[in-house]
Amino acid sequence: MMALQIVFFSIFFFVSFTIAQGVRTLNVRNYGAIADGRTDNKKAFLRAWNDACYQNGGSIVYIPKGVYMVGSVEFAGPCRGPIMFLISGDLKAPIGPYSNVEKWIGFQHVNNLIVKGGGTLDGQGPSAWPYNKCQNTNNCDPLPISIKFDFVTNSRIESIRSVNSKNVHLAIYGCNNVNVSKVDLLAPADSPNTDGIKISRSADIRITNSRIRTGDDCIAIISGSSNIDVSYVYCGPGHGISIGSLGKYKNEENVNGVTVRKCTLNGTDNGVRIKSWESPYAITASKFLFQDIFMENVRNPIIVDQTYCPRSPCNQETASHVQIKDVTYRNIWGTSSSQVAVSFECSKKFPCKNIVMTDVNLAIVGGEGPLKSSCSYVKGRSFGRQNPPPCF
């Protein structure tokens, strides 16, 4: 059913865009953009966007080949017709941290948007990572996200390459019905907080046929997200594919309906992970399916961590109030780099419920000792082949 929805959406969007009356191409060079890698092209890009946005019918904002430096910029709607933002050139962020800026490139309140290209977004992360204070304290100003979509609907993001983001590569917030495909996200394994794709308060998001190699979660699905489908994603290095962290803030919303399937994780710290803080903030995380996933040399292939605390101080006076339930792991195989390949450290106040494991077949790298499972406060069932042996 999900595949049919994706095909229908893609065909409908393509046809509706191409038959729109008055489609025209707006080349940013005609608005004063200079491809010398030094001149800030923010104003030229905005002038082209505004002309496209205010025109009836469809438009293409075209960034031709070349190297364009562009400062922090927001492309805002609503617009009068569908827009394709076509990036054939390479975009470079300003050097340095430039804190107090949430994002480098943003799109907000746009319906029927296509962002695609073949060019590269270079966040110039090495010039900013030494200034990242968020690894050591909770009281910090995050570095800017490379590209962020706020309240974008019925849209596609495809064939985008992002390298060396200062913070998250691609963020999706408050969006509905968005396809992400053929993206290539790259940063070193030790680059701080460089999540590949972060999704929050969004619904009907599909990520497929993408490669993510970075220094934090390849994909993080957090508060208020529902009906998320992740397929054919290669992840590694990185921290794996995560739901969470959850429960850190007071006004978080439930997360439900997440499918991760036909993915490969290679050399990651975690495989598929659900994580929540020990806090009094109550939400539900439910209806998750992890299926047909290959792990290669993954430290924690299957992990639920409801005592998540990446840095102190943490309020550990209460158990996590995130209720995790209705989670299925099916046909997961490969190798673990640690003896504890399956770990469920659930909340003692709200134990994990209805955890189902079918055909989990993992082996340890190097063959040093048998694999183990670890369980705390979890209720579940297992079927088919199980290695390591289940602990419930």
Side-chain angles (χ1 to χ4, degrees), residues 126-355:
S127 69
W129 296 330
Y131 301 93
N132 185 325
K133 300 178 181 179
C134 296
Q135 284 187 301
N136 304 315
T137 177
N138 293 318
N139 184 18
C140 63
D141 293 322
L143 297 173
I145 296 163
S146 273
I147 185 166
K148 187 166 188 256
F149 298 84
D150 294 288
F151 311 106
V152 169
T153 56
N154 305 315
S155 296
R156 298 202 327 251
I157 305 158
E158 61 183 47
S159 302
I160 294 297
R161 185 170 188 262
S162 169
V163 301
N164 292 333
S165 56
K166 289 180 169 68
N167 194 317
V168 176
H169 287 270
L170 192 160
I172 297 171
Y173 178 85
C175 296
N176 187 271
N177 198 25
V178 175
N179 283 355
V180 180
S181 64
K182 300 177 184 176
V183 298
D184 186 10
L185 312 178
L186 176 64
D190 60 354
S191 57
N193 303 119
T194 53
D195 298 76
I197 301 174
K198 181 169 281 189
I199 304 168
S200 58
R201 299 183 188 269
S202 297
D204 301 313
I205 309 298
R206 294 162 290 273
I207 302 168
T208 190
N209 293 314
S210 295
R211 186 176 179 91
I212 305 173
R213 297 158 289 170
T214 193
D216 209 307
D217 291 328
C218 290
I219 298 173
I221 300 164
I222 59 176
S223 168
S225 298
S226 63
N227 197 19
I228 311 298
D229 186 85
V230 178
S231 65
Y232 297 100
V233 168
Y234 178 96
C235 167
H239 294 181
I241 297 175
S242 296
I243 297 173
S245 61
L246 304 173
K248 184 178 182 180
Y249 302 106
K250 183 176 182 179
N251 296 318
E252 291 189 24
E253 298 177 359
N254 296 340
V255 177
N256 63 80
V258 176
T259 297
V260 179
R261 57 192 173 88
K262 298 185 183 300
C263 293
T264 295
L265 296 104
N266 186 353
T268 52
D269 289 350
N270 306 286
V272 289
R273 174 168 61 160
I274 306 171
K275 52 182 175 176
S276 72
W277 296 76
E278 292 180 298
S279 77
Y281 306 131
I283 62 170
T284 298
S286 64
K287 299 179 182 177
F288 304 148
L289 171 63
F290 302 99
Q291 178 172 307
D292 301 331
I293 297 173
F294 174 61
M295 312 273 186
E296 184 172 356
N297 195 26
V298 172
R299 186 183 303 169
N300 303 300
I302 296 174
I303 178 169
V304 173
D305 180 7
Q306 294 205 259
T307 62
Y308 180 70
C309 178
R311 56 186 173 270
S312 61
C314 294
N315 177 17
Q316 296 177 307
E317 296 179 359
T318 182
S320 174
H321 281 51
V322 175
Q323 175 67 76
I324 296 172
K325 63 179 183 177
D326 305 330
V327 183
T328 297
Y329 302 88
R330 181 183 299 141
N331 193 30
I332 296 176
W333 78 101
T335 57
S336 171
S337 62
S338 66
Q339 280 193 287
V340 180
V342 177
S343 177
F344 291 96
E345 301 301 322
C346 298
S347 169
K348 62 184 177 182
K349 190 171 183 65
F350 294 92
C352 297
K353 299 192 297 186
N354 193 28
I355 309 300

Side-chain angles (χ1 to χ4, degrees), residues 365-384:
V365 174
E368 296 181 2
L371 284 180
K372 301 176 182 178
S373 297
S374 174
C375 288
S376 297
Y377 308 107
V378 56
K379 299 177 182 179
R381 298 164 289 156
S382 62
F383 304 92

Side-chain angles (χ1 to χ4, degrees), residues 13 17 23-28 31 33 41-53 58-64 68 70-71 73-76 79 81-91 104-108 110-121 146-149 152 155-161:
F13 192 13
F17 186 88
V23 173
R24 63 173 179 165
T25 298
L26 308 175
N27 188 324
V28 296
Y31 291 82
N41 289 285
K42 172 181 177 177
K43 291 182 179 179
F45 282 25
L46 275 175
R47 284 194 291 266
W49 171 267
N50 288 335
D51 273 4
C53 187
S59 299
I60 300 172
V61 175
Y62 176 50
I63 302 171
Y68 304 83
V70 58
V73 59
E74 184 89 67
F75 302 106
C79 297
I83 296 179
M84 177 184 290
F85 198 88
L86 182 58
I87 307 171
S88 295
D90 298 329
L91 308 187
W104 170 30
I105 298 170
F107 295 87
Q108 67 169 299
V110 184
N111 183 44
N112 286 346
L113 171 70
I114 301 175
V115 177
K116 64 179 296 184
T120 297
L121 309 181
S146 273
I147 185 166
K148 187 166 188 256
F149 298 84
V152 169
S155 296
R156 298 202 327 251
I157 305 158
E158 61 183 47
S159 302
I160 294 297
R161 185 170 188 262

